[in-house]
Amino acid sequence: MAPFFIGYRYRWSFLFLSLWIITVFCLSDQPADSKYTAKIKSNNIQTQLIATHINNSKITANVRKTVLENGLTVLTKEVHTAPVVSVQIWYKVGSRYEAPGTNGIAHQLEHMMFKGTKNRPVQFARLFSALGSDSNAFTSYEQTAYYGTVEREKLKALLVLEADRMQNSLIEPEQLATEKRVVISELQGYENSAEYRLNRAVMQALFPNHAYGLPVGGNKADVEKFQVEQVKEYYRKFYTPDNAVLVIVGDFQTSKTLETVKEIFGKLPRRQEAGGESFTQHSALPTPHSPLPTPLILREQGAAAMLQVVYPLPDLHHPDIPALEVMDYILTEGRNSRLYQALVESGLASEVTASVSSLQEAGWYELLVTADDHQDLKKIETVLNRAIANLVKKGVKPEELTRAKMQLEAGVILSNRDITSQAMQLANDEITAGDYRYTDRYLAAVSQVTEVDIVNVAKKYLQPETRVVGLFQPTEQNVTETGKKLNLNQTTENLSAAATPLAVSEIDKYLPPLEETTDVVKKVSHNTSQKNSHLTLPEQFSLANGLKVLLLPDKSTPTVTLNGHIKAGKEFDAEHQAGLASLVADNLMSGTKSKNALNLAKALEERGASLDFTAYREGVRIEGDGLAVDLPILIETLGDAVKNSTFPKKELELNRQQALTDLKQELDDPAEVAKRIFVQSLYPKQHPLHTFPTEKSLKQIKREDVIAFKAKYYRPDTTVLVIVGDFEPTQVRSLIEKSLGDWQVSGQPPTIQYPNVKLPDNLLRVNPVMAGKAQAITFMGNTGINRQDPRYYPALVLNQILGGDTLSSYLGAEVRDRQGLTYGIYSYLQAQKNAGTFWIEMQTSPEDSNKAIASTRKLLQAIHQQGVTANDVETAKNTLISNYKISLADPEELAHTMLMNQVYGMDITEINSFADKIKQVSLAQVNQVARELLHPDKIVVVTAGPAVIADKNHE
């Protein structure tokens, strides 16, 4: 897995990948899927659009930079579209400051920063949770960052907490020992990935004498040796105001907030005043690696063969970087890109990804190709080399250049629609580039890139003698045949002793006081009510064919978000054709009656827009994003795909092969294997949730099956569309009528029965052993409730208390924070329209798995029998309500929430009444739900990964 930064196409995807890989904890319980594609029509229009967007860029508009006397850099930006604010503190220290022997110490310190301070000796995640802050942290090459997004009246409280842990963090022997165990578990999780292992070997070869060649998270041998004084010295050396950037973006008054910042942070001493060495040391500049005459080859257990090629590049200030970024887009972005055509469309590979990483002291261009089954990596490398040589020899076409520029710029605009992302953009530019305005200059430079520039940088940097090539060749297919449940170890366990619930916390006395907000909001988004902070309800209508539409104008950004749902999901898959629903959804954009796959993709790619169809259990999810001016093409393309798709044979076979490759990779992932076996152990055959694709079922699907499925299940009367963004409703309604009004429907919509499923009679343990894995993944749980169940709201509160996040919840505090048995542990309440599942997920070292499972079950037993406290309930309610309000400030989250409310049959007012319903939940209701839904002695427990070491004390 490539760590954070900094190619602009994957700039924020890499950032958020870094948040997943290198974080202390993750408060989000919903993984985000996204594909990014882009494109346009006339060169004149494209050039005009690019120039207009750059001139009107809002990324650095209204940003104010202030440097306090103690050296703290403060960036502020008022954004009054919602009553929320993001507070982020970024320190100028990351893995670049490390060396062999200390690799991972910045990451280890990041973990320790949540352990409390002298003034507040409590887990800081509990404080953030009590504030309702959406908080997290990550470590990267150049920085370590801590961020939180809260309602505006909690701004000062968040500042107080960050200032406290900048100076007063506790780093104690017992806590360090526990957290080292957690970090090692985290590192073992990365080692489960063949991609991570390949990347680590290639980067070490590319930077043999520089910290860029070290893994950002560290390595087990170094982490085990960290001592308390060593970590404390690192903290004293780097966590000072003159080595930090504080960024505040959102609904606040700049002058008043700066006074508050000076009051809270201004008294902290800079590094020189605190005594000791300066923190400005740097590692030695990168030196060229010795040429490698042959590729690095990893022959290990895994699923798919991979080719990774990495070329060294200059640092991010070099004038060639913008041209290199545009070159990357021409080579690999979208279906019309050169390497996609040469490798994926040809059937050689299932995926090709790339990024330009630009850092302070060096950079690199990284290409990763995942081979299709039985394809030769040497042949793939030859084709890749030929495509690059052809670019150098023949140059690029004007339309390729314009398309790439548009894709790149649209990506920057679309990735900055919410305040958290805007704050991250500013902070990253200020630390990595030394100037928060870097992105604006970068976009201006991109607009000046010429066709000659592309050829020149390709010729200059993509030289065979400078690159490092890595090959991953799987030695065996590490596939668990879940249907036969191989490697089973089933046991029945009795709980002889239940853990005592956590004592009532004294969190309140450590929370800073909240401010009374009297600020006058200067600007209000079209979808926000200033009086009560409730959203204006969307306009709702139905077409004559039954298609339901919700429209919510929002002028806060020049973008649009389209979400949709079609009741054509995996629940309709027959066992012998499992995977059919996904194959249909994946092929909707493979060709229509009037356009082939390339033309469909091109219409979007030329505009920097995206449109994707993804099948999940209860439906097909439609996700579209674009600039506001491009909403017509999104709607037109959507209409063409759902009405006129033809499923060309060649494209269908390519997608089938990619599905088979994806399946092999899933069955090499312990998390996917554990989840699959968990679900199939919980729900019997013939149940709509039981069916999962297999190699056999995918190969049995015929083209006529795909056409028949599409004809039967893709219907306007089972489709809902939600559009949020900068548009006029009357015009959009007309566009929808024109593009989708003639979508025909016949007969009654198909239905499906979800039979009731009893709880297991006792504990069922299933332990599939996966060779070559370092970390174990456990899923444990039972059946739950659906979305319409009146217990849904108290169950949400219960889930938040139990495992809503991995540090402040009961499970997090006990299993993760106190015992250090897992890097992450969460509970989930998946309440869908027709069924519900409750489960807990955790990642552990194999020697800790049984102990972690036993501790978890004891906690479940204690809560089942004794319940939770009134303080727990109030804290959880506040957290849920605050996080909900924060999520609605993001147009993606807002659109998805409105969509699913409609799909689940909720009233249109649910978007505003949800918080009130949570507020009304009582302690008695939560404890009643705990007795009815938590059954620690009647659950399925699946642990996938290395062989779990037996611990008779916890059997």
Side-chain angles (χ1 to χ4, degrees):
M1 300 281 182
F4 169 51
F5 196 24
I6 301 193
Y8 269 85
R9 171 168 26 145
Y10 296 110
R11 177 163 202 182
W12 296 116
S13 62
F14 270 138
L15 175 53
F16 289 109
L17 177 61
S18 175
L19 301 186
W20 173 66
I21 293 179
I22 310 297
T23 48
V24 174
F25 61 99
C26 176
L27 299 181
S28 169
D29 62 4
Q30 291 295 333
D33 298 326
S34 66
K35 284 187 180 179
Y36 182 65
T37 45
K39 307 184 181 174
I40 184 169
K41 204 168 186 177
S42 146
N43 289 343
N44 291 333
I45 295 175
Q46 292 170 342
T47 304
Q48 187 178 19
L49 280 172
I50 292 172
T52 301
H53 293 152
I54 291 175
N55 291 336
N56 294 330
S57 172
K58 295 184 178 181
I59 296 172
T60 57
N62 305 318
V63 175
R64 178 171 171 179
K65 180 177 179 178
T66 306
V67 181
L68 304 189
E69 290 184 4
N70 61 5
L72 178 68
T73 297
V74 184
L75 300 177
T76 54
K77 178 182 180 180
E78 295 184 31
V79 180
H80 300 289
T81 56
V84 296
V85 61
S86 185
V87 176
Q88 306 188 9
I89 187 83
W90 290 47
Y91 294 94
K92 300 174 186 178
V93 59
S95 63
R96 180 168 66 86
Y97 295 83
E98 298 170 358
T102 62
N103 181 213
I105 194 168
H107 178 212
Q108 182 70 67
L109 177 56
E110 175 216 320
H111 279 241
M112 299 305 297
M113 289 290 285
F114 288 85
K115 291 295 188 177
T117 66
K118 298 172 185 176
N119 302 322
R120 296 175 174 85
V122 293
Q123 169 56 254
F124 259 48
R126 295 195 195 178
L127 298 175
F128 294 137
S129 180
L131 283 176
S133 174
D134 182 8
S135 297
N136 216 318
F138 68 89
T139 301
S140 189
Y141 291 104
E142 317 281 7
Q143 64 271 97
T144 304
Y146 304 84
Y147 66 92
T149 301
V150 293
E151 295 158 291
R152 64 187 177 200
E153 66 269 18
K154 301 169 183 177
L155 167 59
K156 183 175 181 179
L158 214 50
L159 292 172
V160 169
L161 293 178
E162 290 297 353
D164 189 17
R165 65 174 174 173
M166 178 183 280
Q167 188 175 35
N168 302 311
S169 284
L170 294 171
I171 302 173
E172 304 294 344
E174 183 178 350
Q175 293 176 327
L176 178 60
T178 299
E179 210 60 31
K180 283 163 61 175
R181 193 174 184 176
V182 169
V183 168
I184 289 170
S185 173
E186 178 183 354
L187 298 179
Q188 289 173 328
Y190 310 152
E191 293 292 340
N192 277 357
S193 165
E195 183 181 336
Y196 173 84
R197 302 196 301 272
L198 177 62
N199 178 262
R200 179 171 170 175
V202 170
M203 291 300 293
Q204 286 177 331
L206 185 68
F207 294 106
N209 302 307
H210 191 276
Y212 288 160
L214 299 174
V216 171
N219 66 81
K220 181 180 179 183
D222 285 358
V223 171
E224 287 177 332
K225 297 175 184 176
F226 291 154
Q227 300 297 314
V228 168
E229 192 52 44
Q230 184 183 17
V231 178
K232 283 184 176 180
E233 176 57 27
Y234 213 76
Y235 171 63
R236 290 191 294 264
K237 184 174 184 178
F238 291 103
Y239 280 61
T240 61
D242 46 333
N243 196 43
V245 174
L246 171 66
V247 184
I248 307 171
V249 175
D251 190 19
F252 62 91
Q253 288 185 342
T254 299
S255 57
K256 178 183 176 182
T257 299
L258 283 175
E259 288 301 316
T260 302
V261 169
K262 291 174 184 176
E263 170 195 338
I264 294 171
F265 284 90
K267 58 191 175 185
L268 302 183
R270 63 167 63 232
R271 173 59 187 156
Q272 286 79 357
E273 295 170 9
E277 301 176 8
S278 169
F279 52 71
T280 55
Q281 70 175 43
H282 294 268
S283 54
L285 290 175
T287 56
H289 66 91
S290 301
L292 299 178
T294 57
L296 297 170
I297 299 177
L298 269 65
R299 292 188 177 93
E300 299 176 353
Q301 289 169 323
M306 290 179 287
L307 165 71
Q308 186 165 51
V309 183
V310 184
Y311 299 86
L313 298 179
D315 65 78
L316 83 166
H317 289 294
H318 196 283
D320 286 341
I321 295 300
L324 284 161
E325 295 274 12
V326 178
M327 176 204 73
D328 172 35
Y329 274 66
I330 291 171
L331 284 174
T332 65
E333 177 60 11
R335 198 159 194 164
N336 286 273
S337 65
R338 296 199 175 193
L339 290 180
Y340 189 96
Q341 284 294 302
L343 295 171
V344 180
E345 290 286 349
S346 68
L348 290 173
S350 65
E351 185 179 27
V352 55
T353 60
S355 67
V356 174
S357 296
S358 308
L359 299 173
Q360 290 178 6
E361 295 184 347
W364 56 90
Y365 181 48
E366 176 182 340
L367 287 156
L368 178 68
V369 183
T370 303
D372 259 341
D373 201 20
H374 306 304
Q375 294 295 340
D376 181 17
L377 289 178
K378 291 294 185 181
K379 182 178 180 181
I380 289 174
E381 184 183 1
T382 299
V383 173
L384 186 151
N385 293 340
R386 187 186 305 138
I388 292 174
N390 188 58
L391 183 148
V392 172
K393 182 179 179 180
K394 297 183 179 180
V396 299
K397 298 176 183 178
E399 58 267 29
E400 287 182 295
L401 179 67
T402 307
R403 181 173 67 229
K405 289 181 180 181
M406 193 62 200
Q407 290 173 311
L408 197 154
E409 189 210 346
V412 174
I413 294 172
L414 290 168
S415 68
N416 278 282
R417 287 183 291 178
D418 63 278
I419 63 170
T420 301
S421 296
Q422 291 179 45
M424 286 184 171
Q425 180 88 67
L426 294 170
N428 187 73
D429 284 352
E430 180 67 21
I431 283 189
T432 308
D435 184 359
Y436 70 88
R437 296 163 296 191
Y438 177 79
T439 294
D440 285 348
R441 297 201 318 272
Y442 168 83
L443 289 175
V446 164
S447 70
Q448 301 301 313
V449 171
T450 67
E451 296 154 36
V452 173
D453 293 333
I454 301 299
V455 173
N456 288 342
V457 295
K459 186 185 301 183
K460 182 177 179 180
Y461 296 105
L462 304 191
Q463 298 178 0
E465 60 270 19
T466 67
R467 68 183 185 172
V468 174
V469 177
L471 306 178
F472 180 82
Q473 297 178 336
T475 55
E476 67 178 68
Q477 296 177 0
N478 192 9
V479 177
T480 301
E481 187 62 51
T482 61
K484 296 180 180 178
K485 286 193 172 69
L486 297 182
N487 302 316
L488 294 190
N489 174 23
Q490 301 184 12
T491 61
T492 301
E493 301 183 27
N494 295 317
L495 294 179
S496 57
T500 303
L502 300 178
V504 175
S505 172
E506 294 184 295
I507 292 296
D508 287 349
K509 74 178 184 180
Y510 294 121
L511 279 175
L514 304 186
E515 290 184 300
E516 291 294 330
T517 303
T518 57
D519 297 351
V520 177
V521 178
K522 297 177 183 177
K523 301 175 184 176
V524 180
S525 166
H526 282 218
N527 67 342
T528 306
S529 166
Q530 187 174 343
K531 292 182 180 179
N532 55 18
S533 297
H534 279 190
L535 294 171
T536 301
L537 294 179
E539 177 182 333
Q540 184 177 22
F541 63 91
S542 296
L543 303 187
N545 58 15
L547 182 113
K548 296 178 181 177
V549 182
L550 285 77
L551 302 178
L552 186 60
D554 178 2
K555 306 290 185 180
S556 61
T557 66
T559 64
V560 288
T561 298
L562 184 153
N563 270 209
H565 175 278
I566 306 172
K567 189 172 175 56
K570 299 176 183 179
E571 63 187 359
F572 293 115
D573 280 351
E575 184 176 4
H576 70 286
Q577 290 184 328
L580 176 57
S582 291
L583 205 56
V584 173
D586 292 343
N587 276 274
L588 284 176
M589 296 284 286
S590 292
T592 64
K593 295 175 182 178
S594 60
K595 295 178 182 177
N596 62 26
L598 292 181
N599 288 333
L600 281 170
K602 187 177 181 181
L604 297 168
E605 292 171 352
E606 287 179 337
R607 289 164 168 80
S610 67
L611 180 64
D612 296 294
F613 300 85
T614 306
Y616 68 106
R617 190 62 64 174
E618 288 192 333
V620 170
R621 182 175 294 119
I622 306 168
E623 295 175 297
D625 288 294
L627 302 178
V629 295
D630 300 321
L631 180 56
I633 196 65
L634 273 174
I635 294 175
E636 290 167 13
T637 305
L638 168 64
D640 196 17
V642 297
K643 293 186 302 181
N644 304 315
S645 52
T646 56
F647 306 103
K649 185 175 181 180
K650 177 186 174 183
E651 302 292 343
L652 182 61
E653 290 310 311
L654 282 174
N655 274 288
R656 187 203 308 273
Q657 185 55 52
Q658 290 171 12
L660 288 166
T661 302
D662 290 344
L663 175 63
K664 287 188 175 183
Q665 291 181 301
E666 287 178 11
L667 296 178
D668 189 55
D669 181 348
E672 292 293 333
V673 170
K675 186 174 183 178
R676 175 183 285 227
I677 296 179
F678 170 74
V679 172
Q680 291 189 322
S681 299
L682 204 55
Y683 297 99
K685 283 189 175 184
Q686 311 309 319
H687 192 282
L689 296 181
H690 182 88
T691 304
F692 283 83
T694 64
E695 181 178 356
K696 181 179 179 180
S697 70
L698 286 171
K699 288 182 175 179
Q700 285 185 174
I701 298 171
K702 300 176 182 178
R703 181 170 178 265
E704 50 264 37
D705 299 324
V706 171
I707 294 172
F709 187 98
K710 160 68 168 47
K712 182 176 182 179
Y713 295 108
Y714 279 69
R715 303 167 54 97
D717 54 350
T718 63
T719 299
V720 181
L721 293 182
V722 174
I723 304 177
V724 175
D726 187 4
F727 58 81
E728 294 299 330
T730 303
Q731 296 175 6
V732 174
R733 183 166 185 163
S734 177
L735 284 169
I736 293 173
E737 288 275 9
K738 181 180 178 182
S739 296
L740 292 159
D742 61 349
W743 187 5
Q744 297 180 354
V745 60
S746 62
Q748 293 299 311
T751 59
I752 189 166
Q753 294 297 318
Y754 276 71
N756 291 327
V757 176
K758 296 191 305 180
L759 293 172
D761 294 331
N762 47 41
L763 174 71
L764 173 65
R765 287 289 302 271
V766 186
N767 301 133
V769 176
M770 302 177 66
K773 302 303 177 183
Q775 185 190 64
I777 308 295
T778 295
F779 277 68
M780 57 192 300
N782 46 253
T783 54
I785 58 176
N786 64 29
R787 180 63 177 86
Q788 292 282 356
D789 195 298
R791 297 172 293 177
Y792 175 73
Y793 301 98
L796 275 184
V797 176
L798 174 64
N799 183 72
Q800 181 65 29
I801 295 167
L802 175 64
D805 68 64
T806 198
L807 283 178
S808 64
S809 64
Y810 269 35
L811 289 171
E814 176 64 18
V815 183
R816 198 287 195 188
D817 196 45
R818 191 183 73 82
Q819 298 187 54
L821 297 176
T822 174
Y823 166 56
I825 184 168
Y826 303 91
S827 62
Y828 297 86
L829 176 70
Q830 186 182 54
Q832 296 182 305
K833 184 173 184 178
N834 296 303
T837 307
F838 163 74
W839 80 91
I840 295 166
E841 180 181 359
M842 70 179 83
Q843 306 94 43
T844 57
S845 298
E847 61 270 21
D848 290 334
S849 297
N850 282 322
K851 186 176 181 181
I853 291 167
S855 295
T856 298
R857 291 180 60 218
K858 287 179 181 179
L859 264 176
L860 289 176
Q861 185 77 291
I863 296 173
H864 172 80
Q865 293 177 344
Q866 302 167 32
V868 297
T869 69
N871 181 72
D872 294 327
V873 171
E874 290 308 307
T875 299
K877 286 160 59 175
N878 290 336
T879 300
L880 287 170
I881 291 170
S882 295
N883 287 344
Y884 179 73
K885 291 179 179 179
I886 291 167
S887 74
L888 297 185
D890 182 338
E892 295 276 2
E893 294 278 358
L894 175 60
H896 182 69
T897 299
M898 290 195 302
L899 174 70
M900 298 317 294
N901 283 344
Q902 187 71 26
V903 170
Y904 291 148
M906 311 305 296
D907 190 270
I908 194 171
T909 61
E910 176 71 10
I911 195 77
N912 286 324
S913 62
F914 173 86
D916 293 332
K917 292 175 181 177
I918 292 294
K919 194 178 298 183
Q920 293 166 11
V921 170
S922 68
L923 172 64
Q925 289 175 318
V926 173
N927 284 336
Q928 179 66 27
V929 165
R931 289 189 290 272
E932 294 174 357
L933 299 184
L934 301 185
H935 302 280
D937 54 345
K938 296 181 179 181
I939 57 175
V940 172
V941 180
V942 179
T943 303
V948 173
I949 299 173
D951 183 349
K952 296 303 181 182
N953 294 326
H954 300 287
E955 288 292 331

